[in-house]
Structure formats: C-alpha cells, structure tokens
C-alpha cells in the first residue's frame, strides 16, 4: 500500500518562504507523475504544481515564478519550495502520486492521481 506523508506546513508572514516535503513509501508502486494540490474550506481542491516522468513541470498561474516542484532522484521524496508567499496561498496542501496504470484515479493535466497524502496547513498572514 502506497503511503504519502506531507510535512513542512507552517504559519509565515507575507513574503516568507516554506518548503513542503512528501515522503513516499513503496515508491516502486507509484507511476511517473506526482503533484501538489491545495484546498481551502468551501472550495475545490486545485492543482498547484505537477512533475512528470521526463522531469517536465507545470504550475498554476498564480504560483509561477514563486513555487518550484522537485523530487529526489530515487523518487522517494517530493518537494515544493514556496517563495514570496502571499495570504491567498493559505490552504491545506496535499501531495499526490499516480499509479503505473492507465485507468482509474482522477485525471489532472495528463496525470491520473491514485494516491493522496494527508494535508499540511500553510497560513500566510498579511
């Protein structure tokens, strides 16, 4: 059973930085794409950033130039470096990964997400 554990959330002032980490158990059971999502109460979960098997990345427009998604070479850990944080970035952040199958899961930008970690809270004060 794949388990994703996210950490690194905190409360910071606007302009601050945080680095989120996601530890992935049994990474051999994951597929080629992983991502970070965020959600605030009353709103749908949204894609923040995704990274694909070829190293390609995508970002939601609001975080381009401020956030960077990366993973270690062994693909056991996923990261999200967040710089120049703004109050609108406040949310619960989730890491997620695909399975090495072409069916099931929830599709996001060419990636079918099968596994979710628990949320880690990021709060940015004005």
């Amino acid at each position: 059973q794949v388990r994703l554990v996210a950490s690194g959330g905190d409360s910071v002032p606007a302009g601050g930085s945080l680095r989120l980490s996601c530890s992935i158990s049994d990474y051999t059971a994951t597929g080629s794409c992983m991502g970070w999502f965020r959600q605030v109460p009353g709103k749908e979960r949204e894609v923040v950033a995704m990274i694909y098997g070829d190293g390609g990345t995508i970002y939601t427009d609001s975080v381009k130039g401020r956030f960077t998604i990366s993973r270690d070479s062994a693909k056991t850990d996923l990261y999200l470096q967040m710089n120049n944080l703004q109050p609108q970035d406040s949310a619960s952040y989730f890491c997620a990964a695909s399975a090495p199958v072409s069916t099931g899961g929830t599709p996001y930008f060419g990636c079918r997400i099968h596994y979710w970690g628990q949320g880690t809270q990021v709060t940015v004060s004005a």
Side-chain angles (χ1 to χ4, degrees):
Q1 181 70 25
V2 175
R3 185 164 176 250
L4 285 70
V5 179
S7 62
D10 205 344
S11 297
V12 296
S17 297
L18 285 174
R19 188 189 195 213
L20 304 184
S21 299
C22 178
S23 177
I24 304 167
S25 70
D26 196 10
Y27 67 94
T28 59
T30 60
S32 60
C33 53
M34 302 175 181
W36 287 97
F37 295 71
R38 65 187 179 187
Q39 188 171 24
V40 297
K43 292 190 176 181
E44 292 188 359
R45 188 171 298 186
E46 66 168 348
V47 174
V48 176
M50 301 198 72
I51 187 166
Y52 299 88
D54 62 358
T57 58
I58 62 164
Y59 297 90
T60 192
D61 285 345
S62 64
V63 308
K64 286 180 180 177
R66 300 188 297 123
F67 290 13
T68 303
I69 188 172
S70 63
R71 62 187 175 193
D72 69 335
S73 58
K75 300 181 183 179
T76 58
D77 292 278
L78 182 70
Y79 305 101
L80 184 69
Q81 178 65 43
M82 305 187 294
N83 298 327
N84 190 22
L85 283 160
Q86 300 301 312
Q88 55 265 37
D89 295 318
S90 297
S92 185
Y93 284 71
F94 301 83
C95 55
S98 62
V101 295
S102 59
T103 60
T106 304
Y108 294 96
F109 298 100
C111 178
R112 303 192 75 87
I113 294 295
H114 294 82
Y115 306 115
W116 295 91
Q118 90 293 357
T120 186
Q121 182 66 36
V122 172
T123 303
V124 185
S125 57

